[in-house]
Amino acid sequence: MKTITLYLAVTGTTYFDQLDRFQGWSGTPLTAAGLEASQGLGQQLATVKFDTAFASDTSRSAQTGRAILDAQATQLELQQSAALRAPFYGGFEGFERAAVWSGFATKLGYPTVAAFEADQTPTEIQNLIHDHDVDSLAESGDEFWQRYQAGLTQVTDATPDHGRALVIVDPVILRKLRFELTGQPANAEQLAPSTVTIVDKTVDKLAIR
């Protein structure tokens, strides 16, 4: 059975991160500090020989991937795929996250935003956005995850057996993946920009190292 190793590198900090705004399919560039941190991550991974490298087609993902690959001894093509995008937030794209979470918490009867967030799985959060998007564009939790898994299949197919693949991910993607694998919510340190999580992948199984 084919086995590959995924190096899931979190995108560098963007301007929408600084402004605490939803950025699913929105093309938000890295800040100067975000680009520098991505370059630093590239130096940390310089001794890892990647067989393939993948990112979504968003600007932040491409910038992060190229900054990391610039440190590789042999230049590797960064393959971009729309299937690897973060969830689409539809009409919520660009909205201030704190205000949206506060509205959901109040509507659902939670005493605080923290209590609301602690009680929601990644899929439930995305479903709330999908159900309350007045433009009816946002993906549901299942729609996002099915699409993203198809993207990971692209990575698996392109990477040789026992090979290593660099995959640029948004924090929300890593949050969902960690929850699926562990059943536990990820903490801020595990989802921090310009960090890497190593995952072993077979055709039908993922395991965090």
Side-chain angles (χ1 to χ4, degrees):
M1 181 179 293
K2 187 175 186 178
T3 301
I4 64 173
T5 301
L6 305 177
Y7 285 71
L8 305 178
V10 180
T11 53
T13 301
T14 70
Y15 288 97
F16 267 24
D17 287 325
Q18 283 193 344
L19 297 170
D20 188 37
R21 295 184 181 276
F22 285 100
Q23 52 175 355
W25 291 10
S26 300
T28 50
L30 303 185
T31 63
L35 178 58
E36 184 177 356
S38 295
Q39 291 168 337
L41 180 57
Q43 292 298 323
Q44 294 176 38
L45 297 174
T47 59
V48 179
K49 182 184 180 301
F50 293 114
D51 297 284
T52 58
F54 283 83
S56 78
D57 55 355
T58 60
S59 56
R60 62 186 178 277
S61 189
Q63 280 185 285
T64 301
R66 292 184 181 121
I68 294 172
L69 291 178
D70 280 346
Q72 291 282 298
T74 303
Q75 194 60 42
L76 186 65
E77 177 189 0
L78 181 66
Q79 302 181 59
Q80 294 182 257
S81 171
L84 295 174
R85 291 177 184 175
F88 186 35
Y89 298 120
F92 286 100
E93 292 276 339
F95 276 34
E96 186 180 359
R97 283 186 291 222
V100 173
W101 296 155
S102 179
F104 282 158
T106 299
K107 183 173 183 177
L108 296 174
Y110 288 91
T112 64
V113 172
F116 159 75
E117 291 183 312
D119 196 39
Q120 303 295 315
T121 68
T123 294
E124 288 170 340
I125 284 283
Q126 188 61 32
N127 284 342
L128 279 171
I129 292 170
H130 168 269
D131 293 346
H132 290 81
D133 177 18
V134 296
D135 295 307
S136 299
L137 294 173
E139 289 179 299
S140 69
D142 286 343
E143 287 171 339
F144 156 65
W145 194 233
Q146 288 174 11
R147 168 177 60 76
Y148 194 78
Q149 286 180 304
L152 288 183
T153 297
Q154 294 176 12
V155 175
T156 302
D157 290 345
T159 306
D161 192 19
H162 300 296
R164 300 184 184 93
L166 172 69
V167 183
I168 310 304
V169 297
D170 282 72
V172 67
I173 293 172
L174 189 55
R175 178 184 291 114
K176 167 66 174 176
L177 190 146
R178 279 188 167 274
F179 187 85
E180 287 294 315
L181 298 184
T182 69
Q184 300 296 322
N187 59 46
E189 182 179 353
Q190 292 168 332
L191 305 176
S194 305
T195 57
V196 65
T197 297
I198 301 175
V199 174
D200 292 317
K201 184 181 187 305
T202 59
V203 173
D204 56 359
K205 186 177 180 181
L206 294 168
I208 298 176
R209 285 193 184 178

